[in-house]
Amino acid sequence: MSTSRAFTALLLAAGLSSAGCVRSYAHQPALSFQDLDYTSEGSKQPWPVKRIPLPRTANQYGMAVVPQMAYVDMPGSGPDAKAVVFIHGLGSYLKFWRAQLDAFQQQGYRVIAVDLPGYGKSDKPGTFPYTMEAMADAVLELVDGLGLDKPVLAGHSMGGQTSLSFAIRYPESLSALVLASPAGFEKFSWREKEWFARAMSSEFIKSAPEASIWGSVRQANFMHWRPELEWLIEERVRLAKSPEFDAYAYANVRTVRGLSHNDFVRDNLHRVTVPTVIIYGTDDRLIPSPFLHGGEARGIMEYGASHIPGAKLVALEGCGHTVQLDCAERFNEAAFAFVRDAAAGRIEVPSAPAKEEAPRPESPPAPASEPLTPERLPPPTPGQEGEPTPGVLPQP
């Protein structure tokens, strides 16, 4: 059996093992990414979606066309309100923070949530590098473009690794980190990295049966599934019928390729100089990778916390990988307390060692189908890691 077929079989088994009967959305009409329902969970009021061009990022990575990134910007309680920037994980989009956006705004914060390049309502250019470092550069351009004064970054899974890369490389541009089940801590051998790169293909993502989608979303990400979360399944099934889905699938494949060829974040955790909290579910079924070496999330998260100066570790018992939706109330309680203390300057971070020259890791290899000449290659930036390789399986 081929690697990708074995991968699909595992997901299908997970889908079929989900308890109870499930609703099928296979006969629902196609859904465009631009028509995704970005509204408040309670009031159903639409979030104000905006777009920002990324000329600096395009120039940095030799892109001929300037991409645009979609984001939501919700005002805080006043002009000096602290901003919190939410960054989603692999295969998802800003709506995966649905239980946090309105809740944080109600606490008085300015709330910004991004659709990273290749995801959600953002452009999906084939020439974007799709490394966590390129993602972080796009977030930095948004932070600078909106004139945000050292925002808090909140990142889930791959978004957590993106946030860590941001903090390591641009320490003066943020004030704190909220990491939800972050990728980037788990160690992978070169054989494991290559396995993930081979297993993930556009065809694998596009051809995933609905049963495997139920498995990868419900069974792999949640311990407390409930009917109001079925939008995760419906949107994924219907998006697969959209003409844009090919570009989305390709973005996922490129992201996995970037993720699987880099230990930049893991090797530089000691460079994080801002207050950091790691919130994770003890029953995470994606970190560490169940397809390779297994284990428990606790050990992986303890490793990360022990290498980030002064990091706080919060374990939510009985919660899964998408912890911010699975156990929203407990997650918000922990996140509110941390951000409140960080904003008030009540969290001390151990003094960092004398500043050294910023690391210049290698860029990940480009696919053979996209030859890049030396003149077109972007400047050296950290490679990448993230979801499937760093232990997180994307939604097929």
Side-chain angles (χ1 to χ4, degrees), residues 71 85 153 162 234 238-239 261 307 315 345:
Y71 67 99
V85 179
L153 296 193
T162 297
E234 178 183 358
R238 295 177 59 195
L239 285 170
H261 286 84
H307 285 73

Side-chain angles (χ1 to χ4, degrees), residues 56 82-85 87 112 136-154 162-177 271-275 355:
R56 188 173 71 195
K82 172 62 70 175
V84 183
V85 179
I87 306 172
I112 295 161
D137 290 336
V139 173
L140 178 66
E141 187 163 2
L142 176 134
V143 166
D144 290 346
L146 297 183
L148 303 182
D149 181 22
K150 293 190 173 183
V152 175
L153 296 193
T162 297
S163 299
L164 282 164
S165 178
F166 185 109
I168 292 165
R169 298 163 65 222
Y170 309 117
E172 303 302 322
S173 295
L174 78 164
S175 60
L177 284 173
R271 294 176 180 271
V272 177
T273 59
V274 297
K355 286 190 176 180

